[in-house]
Amino acid sequence: MTDEKELGLRKIRRALISVSDKTGIVDFARALKEFEVEIISTGGTAKALHDAGIEVRDVSDVTGFPEMMDGRVKTLHPKIHGALLGIRDNPDHESAMHEHDIEPIDLVVINLYPFRETIKRAGVTLEEAVEQIDIGGPAMIRSAAKNFNSVAVVVSPIDYSQLIDEMQRQEGALSLDEREELAASAFLQTSAYDSAIFEFFNARQAQMYVRERYAAAKGRDVGGLGESGSLPESIHHSFTKITDLRYGENPHQAGALYYTGEEGGVTSADLLNGKEMSFNNYVDADAAWQLVCDFDETACAIIKHTNPAGVATGTTAEAAYRRALATDPTSAFGGIVAVNVPVDEAAANAVIEIFVEVIIAPGYQPAALEILKTKKNLRVLSAQKSNSSLGLEYKQISGGMLVQTPDTHKLKREDLKVVTKREPTEDEIRDLMFAWTVCKHTKSNAIVYARDEQTVCVGAGQMSRVDSVKLGAMRAQLPVKGSVLASDAFFPFRDGIDEAAKRGITAVIQPGGSMRDAEVIAATDQHNLTMVFTGIRHFKH
């Protein structure tokens, strides 16, 4: 039979508890007391345990120093870290501990300052975020985890009951395997915590970079783009698995959903009805949600394979949906519907008239939700807008990772530069800006035809821009004549303009910047069209 030495059992006699999340801590401490464990604690944790009638020794009594500097310094002391790092059964370590009156600590229970929760708050200041960077907590966690041969470390309330169960089975002791497993979880916690802090500061630098690049693009003096505007030399990211998926893009691929720490968006959406989301459902729902969130007006997008089958604004959610559907009812079948306002009964009844895979919106009226639930396989997601500008975007390639700041640019009326003889009308400007927003979310080479803030047709993902112009018009199920046209990048030749003019468009919006801009502008003037430049490109690969 395996003896205690082989198991590496260590009895828990002294524990240090310091937690920001006090869920279950009183019951856990009471359970430790049943094993006659002495408890050392700090600040708010010590008070919570005192108030519950649990005998606690304050850290300041152990160190001989009071908490100071608004609590920034309280556990950073040899009598704490020596008690955690000292190797039991090592004569030199034991001698040093005895000489300096350091009593060993066998268990550390810590969860860290709520940094992630703090930076999620709207309007949080840099100073508020900085004060939630825990120093003493990670230091104690790492000390205890490094010395797992002698010390156990717990970083989450979900581990409390299991730890007590193990102590009950082993007369107040924990095995070496258990301590090593807890240590691994602890290092994961500190790694994720440091990554969150890094991402916060990295995002601030990225935002500075975006502002500087945009200012430079507009011809302003930004004093150079220097080091403050460069992406980091090293990136560390932590992902936490939310759930396994049935498979990835295809049945022979494994798939899972992970949480990056960013609140809002599709990952954090509540599934109110229907089957579990698939890998492709998440990809398409995200594309749809990001598109409608770019509109201030009530808007609906219907997405198929990440590209818009139809997009429109409307006075109501139903009106926006029906107008979006009218663009291409055939492609909308089996698509993803996103609406940027709560869904009411009328909109719900309209959506269930055809088969759709997913509907995503910021909320649903109770009656509307009941209507949608009549389609048992319809996935109904309730989501909130995410602040995607706070992070970086990653795209894996073989042997590496491409990283960029997110494309958060929103076109303003004053950004438009009229380059043709004819000025656009107010209606044309409205539709040009609508088409431009849709084009931003369409795969390159992207061409979008629109009229009255409704997509008329879309040409996406072609190798030639003129082919995107032709494809969009060829697939149109609404009249193209009288619409405007958006192009995500410049026209390299005049052929795209000539082709669109044949279809009866009246206005064009594009970034400009081609070597043949003059030729393209001349063609636009010849057809008596109007054209505006944005100075910003929106490639989406």
Side-chain angles (χ1 to χ4, degrees), residues 38-170:
E38 179 188 8
I39 295 177
I40 304 165
S41 192
T42 64
T45 305
K47 183 179 184 306
L49 298 180
H50 276 305
D51 292 347
I54 298 171
E55 184 181 353
V56 176
R57 186 178 179 191
D58 289 337
V59 163
S60 56
D61 293 337
V62 176
T63 63
F65 277 83
E67 293 185 16
M68 62 181 70
M69 301 177 187
D70 298 319
R72 283 191 170 198
V73 179
K74 50 193 173 188
T75 59
L76 298 170
H77 193 279
K79 286 199 173 183
I80 299 300
H81 287 276
L84 298 175
L85 287 165
I87 301 173
R88 281 50 156 180
D89 306 323
N90 180 313
D92 290 340
H93 286 214
E94 289 183 335
S95 175
M97 293 172 76
H98 179 74
E99 180 182 353
H100 296 286
D101 194 25
I102 297 174
E103 300 176 81
I105 295 172
D106 310 302
L107 171 66
V108 170
V109 183
I110 293 177
N111 51 62
L112 305 175
Y113 291 173
F115 181 80
R116 282 192 187 275
E117 291 73 16
T118 299
I119 62 174
K120 290 171 188 172
R121 293 202 318 258
V124 66
T125 66
L126 177 61
E127 292 73 19
E128 288 170 334
V130 166
E131 282 309 308
Q132 293 303 319
I133 298 176
D134 203 328
I135 303 300
M140 288 188 290
I141 289 173
R142 291 177 64 82
S143 292
K146 176 177 180 176
N147 200 21
F148 67 88
N149 270 304
S150 303
V151 183
V153 56
V154 178
V155 294
S156 173
I158 65 175
D159 292 325
Y160 294 167
S161 61
Q162 181 179 344
L163 185 139
I164 294 300
D165 288 344
E166 295 295 337
M167 290 178 66
Q168 287 172 342
R169 280 194 289 268
Q170 294 156 171

Side-chain angles (χ1 to χ4, degrees), residues 116 188 191-192 195-196 199 235-242 256-262 267 392-394 396 401:
R116 282 192 187 275
L188 176 62
S191 173
S195 292
E199 289 291 335
I235 292 176
H236 304 274
H237 216 311
S238 175
F239 304 105
T240 303
K241 185 189 284 187
I242 296 174
L257 176 66
Y258 288 78
Y259 175 62
T260 64
E262 178 186 316
T267 300
L392 296 174
E393 290 183 348
Y394 303 88
Q396 187 172 355
M401 189 79 74

Side-chain angles (χ1 to χ4, degrees), residues 162-295:
Q162 181 179 344
L163 185 139
I164 294 300
D165 288 344
E166 295 295 337
M167 290 178 66
Q168 287 172 342
R169 280 194 289 268
Q170 294 156 171
E171 298 181 354
L174 295 174
S175 71
L176 178 59
D177 285 347
E178 289 154 357
R179 296 194 302 274
E180 183 175 351
E181 184 178 342
L182 289 169
S185 295
F187 281 122
L188 176 62
Q189 172 84 345
T190 56
S191 173
Y193 192 77
D194 286 340
S195 292
I197 296 169
F198 167 78
E199 289 291 335
F200 171 75
F201 283 102
N202 188 54
R204 287 175 54 83
Q205 295 298 312
Q207 288 172 338
M208 291 171 56
Y209 178 75
V210 170
R211 287 194 295 268
E212 290 173 344
R213 287 299 299 267
Y214 180 63
K218 303 304 289 184
R220 299 169 188 149
D221 179 12
V222 296
L225 293 177
E227 293 184 1
S228 67
S230 62
L231 293 176
E233 294 298 318
S234 178
I235 292 176
H236 304 274
H237 216 311
S238 175
F239 304 105
T240 303
K241 185 189 284 187
I242 296 174
T243 185
D244 287 308
L245 303 174
R246 289 178 61 196
Y247 49 78
E249 278 186 293
N250 299 289
H252 64 278
Q253 295 172 269
L257 176 66
Y258 288 78
Y259 175 62
T260 64
E262 178 186 316
E263 286 299 296
V266 174
T267 300
S268 301
D270 294 322
L271 181 64
L272 305 180
N273 182 68
K275 299 184 293 185
E276 292 299 314
M277 295 278 286
S278 71
F279 187 100
N280 292 334
N281 287 156
Y282 276 114
V283 173
D284 286 337
D286 187 57
W289 184 240
Q290 289 195 47
L291 199 166
V292 294
C293 285
D294 247 358
F295 285 100

Side-chain angles (χ1 to χ4, degrees), residues 203-468:
R204 287 175 54 83
Q205 295 298 312
Q207 288 172 338
M208 291 171 56
Y209 178 75
V210 170
R211 287 194 295 268
E212 290 173 344
R213 287 299 299 267
Y214 180 63
K218 303 304 289 184
R220 299 169 188 149
D221 179 12
V222 296
L225 293 177
E227 293 184 1
S228 67
S230 62
L231 293 176
E233 294 298 318
S234 178
I235 292 176
H236 304 274
H237 216 311
S238 175
F239 304 105
T240 303
K241 185 189 284 187
I242 296 174
T243 185
D244 287 308
L245 303 174
R246 289 178 61 196
Y247 49 78
E249 278 186 293
N250 299 289
H252 64 278
Q253 295 172 269
L257 176 66
Y258 288 78
Y259 175 62
T260 64
E262 178 186 316
E263 286 299 296
V266 174
T267 300
S268 301
D270 294 322
L271 181 64
L272 305 180
N273 182 68
K275 299 184 293 185
E276 292 299 314
M277 295 278 286
S278 71
F279 187 100
N280 292 334
N281 287 156
Y282 276 114
V283 173
D284 286 337
D286 187 57
W289 184 240
Q290 289 195 47
L291 199 166
V292 294
C293 285
D294 247 358
F295 285 100
D296 296 324
E297 309 91 339
T298 297
C300 174
I302 304 174
I303 294 292
K304 200 71 173 289
H305 302 304
T306 72
N307 276 313
V311 184
T313 63
T315 54
T316 65
E318 180 198 12
Y321 168 74
R322 291 196 182 279
R323 298 183 77 227
L325 179 64
T327 301
D328 189 352
T330 304
S331 295
F333 185 85
I336 310 291
V337 174
V339 186
N340 62 357
V341 296
V343 172
D344 57 18
E345 290 183 68
N349 277 316
V351 168
I352 65 170
E353 288 175 2
I354 67 166
F355 168 65
V356 297
E357 289 273 4
V358 180
I359 179 171
I360 180 169
Y364 301 85
Q365 290 181 0
L369 185 56
E370 290 307 310
I371 292 168
L372 295 170
K373 284 183 176 180
T374 62
K375 299 292 185 178
K376 66 178 183 178
N377 291 329
L378 172 60
R379 299 163 177 91
V380 179
L381 293 180
S382 177
Q384 300 304 314
K385 186 175 182 180
S386 64
N387 192 347
S388 59
S389 64
L390 292 178
L392 296 174
E393 290 183 348
Y394 303 88
K395 183 171 290 189
Q396 187 172 355
I397 59 174
S398 55
M401 189 79 74
L402 297 171
V403 182
Q404 66 177 357
T405 56
D407 186 0
T408 58
H409 180 263
K410 291 192 73 170
L411 187 68
K412 299 182 178 64
R413 168 75 178 265
E414 56 267 28
D415 295 331
L416 301 179
K417 179 183 178 182
V418 180
V419 294
T420 49
K421 295 176 181 177
R422 183 169 78 78
E423 293 275 336
T425 66
E426 286 301 311
D427 286 346
E428 285 173 330
I429 289 174
R430 177 202 64 199
D431 286 341
L432 288 169
M433 295 187 69
F434 169 85
W436 182 253
T437 301
V438 177
C439 208
K440 172 184 171 183
H441 295 272
T442 305
K443 293 297 181 74
S444 301
N445 287 316
I447 293 292
V448 173
Y449 295 80
R451 181 177 52 250
D452 297 331
E453 293 189 298
Q454 175 189 29
T455 50
V456 170
C457 49
V458 176
Q462 299 305 300
M463 288 66 76
S464 163
R465 189 157 301 278
V466 69
D467 283 345
S468 289

